[in-house]
Amino acid sequence: MGYQYWTIRFVPDVARGEFTNIGIVCGHDGGDWAVRFDTRYVRNHGTLSSDLSELTPWITDFQRTIEGHARPPLADGIARVTSAWINHVGSRQANSVQLSPPASIDVSSAANGVALLYPHLVQRSTAKRRSTITRRNLRAEVRDTLETELEFSLGINLFMKPVATIGKQRGVFDIARFSAGEEFLTNVWAFDVLDVALLEREIQSWNFLVGMLRQDGASLHLDNSSSRSFDSTTAIEVVYHASAPGPADRKRLDVLDAAMEAWNRNQVTVRTLDEYRAEAENSNLATVI
């Protein structure tokens, strides 16, 4: 039985016409369907972040529909998946997300079709990863991990850059999340920087804030309309990326060692980015209940 496939494209500037393939969907009418996405390390000239985390709701809904293709039509509000439905989605997604015209492929299943096409048309090689990981990149990676692996939702149980108030002191955490009645505060630190002295001052300032929270707790302003109290026992974690070897490596290691000492004193859980991803994949991080 013949299968069809569509590439799913991200188009940062419709006028320029440039695009990056971010997904593959494959299937046939009345049969099986499969889909897979890769939105990491997408180079774009638009307003979205490089990991396209802003597209997560659309991608999640599309995957849910494809993966529910075997259910009765309209079960749980899910549409019946057909080539006509795929083409209809493509006709509506005419801006930053577009679907290519269908093409045929001779495979034994939709999953096999995706497995065959994905490495060649979508997957981006890790060799193309940035040689330098900044705090902004790292923050986006952690947010993407929490949203895609653990199904946290921005603005509901996941908040970016909440402002903490402790007495007359104010400071910022990178991420706050809530799970099963527990609060978690996360900060990211990238040590592959040129201005090591600035990094050291920023970490010291944040460590002072953490020390005050450990004594008195804090009130965090999560967004424009909500705030929440965090007590002194709140779980705090750091995700970091160590520096690449270079002339300033000894100084960076000194700053990292000093930071580790302070984090241990303040009961801060510390992981590298790779360790954090592995914990999420194994569902060892606190997940949404």
Side-chain angles (χ1 to χ4, degrees), residues 221-232:
H221 301 277
L222 303 174
D223 53 33
N224 293 332
S225 60
S226 64
S227 61
R228 184 162 176 167
S229 295
F230 286 65
D231 64 33
S232 60

Side-chain angles (χ1 to χ4, degrees), residues 37-241:
F37 286 91
D38 184 358
T39 59
R40 301 169 302 162
Y41 322 121
V42 175
R43 295 187 177 184
N44 69 78
H45 305 286
T47 59
L48 302 189
S49 58
S50 59
D51 63 351
L52 306 186
S53 55
E54 294 87 347
L55 296 181
T56 298
W58 184 88
I59 290 173
T60 300
D61 183 66
F62 188 84
Q63 285 180 312
R64 177 172 173 264
T65 301
I66 296 297
E67 291 167 359
H69 68 272
R71 300 176 187 177
L74 303 181
D76 299 326
I78 299 175
R80 180 186 290 278
V81 179
T82 64
S83 57
W85 180 82
I86 296 288
N87 289 326
H88 176 65
V89 171
S91 68
R92 291 189 291 114
Q93 296 294 138
N95 294 313
S96 59
V97 177
Q98 299 180 5
L99 274 71
S100 71
S104 298
I105 184 172
D106 184 12
V107 288
S108 59
S109 69
N112 286 343
V114 169
L116 178 66
L117 296 166
Y118 179 82
H120 302 288
L121 297 180
V122 179
Q123 188 174 32
R124 276 163 286 287
S125 170
T126 56
K128 296 181 180 179
R129 296 175 103 180
R130 301 174 183 86
S131 58
T132 299
I133 294 183
T134 66
R135 281 195 69 194
R136 180 179 178 181
N137 303 149
L138 197 54
R139 190 184 301 116
E141 292 280 0
V142 172
R143 170 183 165 177
D144 181 62
T145 297
L146 291 170
E147 289 182 319
T148 60
E149 297 290 342
L150 301 177
E151 299 183 355
F152 282 87
S153 300
L154 191 65
I156 298 175
N157 48 25
L158 179 68
F159 298 87
M160 304 301 294
K161 305 187 76 171
V163 178
T165 301
I166 308 171
K168 295 185 178 298
Q169 306 300 315
R170 289 167 59 87
V172 177
F173 287 87
D174 285 322
I175 300 172
R177 73 181 193 274
F178 308 102
S179 174
E182 293 186 83
E183 299 92 4
F184 298 83
L185 296 174
T186 306
N187 243 58
V188 303
W189 296 102
F191 287 81
D192 196 1
V193 297
L194 295 177
D195 194 339
V196 182
L198 175 61
L199 173 65
E200 185 174 29
R201 291 194 298 271
E202 290 177 340
I203 292 177
Q204 289 173 344
S205 177
W206 184 75
N207 287 343
F208 175 74
L209 183 72
V210 171
M212 293 194 66
L213 186 149
R214 283 288 181 243
Q215 291 181 5
D216 305 319
S219 174
L220 262 74
H221 301 277
L222 303 174
D223 53 33
N224 293 332
S225 60
S226 64
S227 61
R228 184 162 176 167
S229 295
F230 286 65
D231 64 33
S232 60
T233 63
T234 295
I236 303 176
E237 60 187 9
V238 159
V239 181
Y240 77 96
H241 175 73

Side-chain angles (χ1 to χ4, degrees), residues 6 10 26 64 111 121 126-127 139 234 265-266 271 289:
W6 294 253
F10 170 65
C26 179
R64 177 172 173 264
L121 297 180
T126 56
R139 190 184 301 116
T234 295
R265 186 182 304 117
N266 286 319
R271 300 181 183 89
I289 302 299

